[in-house]
Amino acid sequence: MSFAELDHLCRRLEAIGHAEAMLGVDEAVNMPEGGAENRAEAMGVLASMAHEMATAPHVAGWIARAENEELDTAQKAAVAEFRRGYINRTCLSSDFVARQVNAALRCEQLWRSLRARNDWNDFLPSFENIVALAREEAARRAEVLGLPPYDALVEQYDPGSRSAEIARVFADLKGFLKDFIPQALEAQARRRAKHPLTPFAGPFPIETQKALGLELMKAVGFDFHHGRLDISHHPFCGGVPSDVRMTTRYQTDEFLSSLMGILHETGHGLYEQNLPHDLSHWPSMKARGMAMHESQSLFQEMQLSRRREFWEFALPKARGILGLGDITIDDLLAHVHRVERGFIRVDADEATYPLHVILRFEIEQDLVTGKLAAKDVPEAWDAKMREYLGLSTAGNFRDGPMQDVHWPSGAFGYFPSYTLGAMMAAQQWAAMERAVPDAAARIAKGDFSGINAWRKENIWSKASMLSTPEIMRQATGEPLNAGYFEEHLKRRYLG
């Protein structure tokens, strides 16, 4: 059977993917700088090997014959997803893949040192190379997929999403946020006039911050038999479903940014750990794109972990581990629910965060199409920051276009997933509350079993057997509806 041949190939690709994932985690967490050159070479070779195996000419025949075999529903979904992946892989040659992986790793390694020094000029040549490779990738994919170049890149992160529809949704959201953010800031000022912001008494040693993070990760369901938490320059969730590797970064003068980063990445980790195990090598049993992935991290962080009920459960633990003294829930929520125009995307509140994403979405489209040169990104970034958030990043490259790892690593087309995921998370939360009406009471007691059971049944277990719109429709009863996100913001920040 040709399906059996595909099954065997999937197992081999999964093994190589496992090695690539772990080498990538080690490179970000543990590897000394002196290992960079050989690591980039090794990962480029592995990526090229996997690409050659997955795009060999005979694989097309296996797929075609498997499509005509007697298969069950799960097997048919696996073949369909393998065909989609095959078409996308064959857009690129193995030589190009090796060259791109190698360049991206080198650029990311350079970014880590140069961002700290605010050194855009020395970073620019490497970044220009990455942009050139992204344009080449986009052109190659566009020709095969019959899509505009930028859409061909978005397809790699969120299958089925198209920039025209994303732009329409984002334009509406920008219009909403233009009026909403000033209203939220006014409401916040009124609350603070009655209840001034109480500063936390730091410092907070990294060891105690990590202890609190581990405690809350365990409480919400993260399986430490199949995962761990480390430190990196940029928080991420990597590894493989059987060995999920999460990272955060710490500041000793406060603890919420690292803790919320941990809870965000825990959402990614829970998704990976709860995908179907038995057939994990099939492409249909892997996560359904980055918008869905971000919906799970933002469900965990924004919808769940910033609720009052969550802190009714978590604050006693924070007091005991961090020594917060007589800090009340209202004191803490004033920090957790703050709205503030800021420079850094990963530290932004959920009201201003979409504007950070929209800015990147607009700039990277122009980079990929050639409308914007890499050298002109700081100027474009500053102009949009002034327009959207009233802040200037002129000369501040570290907190401007050098702040994210995505572009140095070649991940163009990824950013829209963050805000699409936020919208999906709000809609999923509303559906979950209808199915688990006592969810709030359970959260206050530290019981997340009902919520996780709903997520496993409606999201996690679906993996990539269905499209993102179909998973959303089945889980929530309707297509993606941005109204849930807007109503969520109103309730939380204007109430």
Side-chain angles (χ1 to χ4, degrees), residues 399-448:
D399 296 334
M402 291 182 74
Q403 69 178 265
D404 293 303
V405 71
H406 302 64
W407 291 347
S409 66
F412 292 88
Y414 187 121
F415 278 116
S417 302
Y418 287 113
T419 289
L420 293 174
M423 295 176 177
M424 291 163 62
Q427 187 169 330
Q428 290 168 21
W429 184 270
M432 182 279 298
E433 283 193 310
R434 293 194 295 269
V436 188
D438 62 341
R442 292 192 188 193
I443 294 168
K445 296 176 181 177
D447 177 7
F448 304 97

Side-chain angles (χ1 to χ4, degrees), residues 21-32 39 43 105 108-109 111-112 230-236 247-248 405:
M22 291 308 170
L23 284 173
V25 169
D26 179 75
E27 186 269 340
V29 175
N30 296 311
M31 189 191 75
R39 181 61 56 87
M43 293 188 69
L105 279 168
E108 183 178 337
Q109 290 156 359
W111 164 81
R112 289 183 193 139
D230 289 296
I231 298 173
S232 68
H233 286 80
H234 193 96
F236 69 86
T247 71
T248 191
V405 71

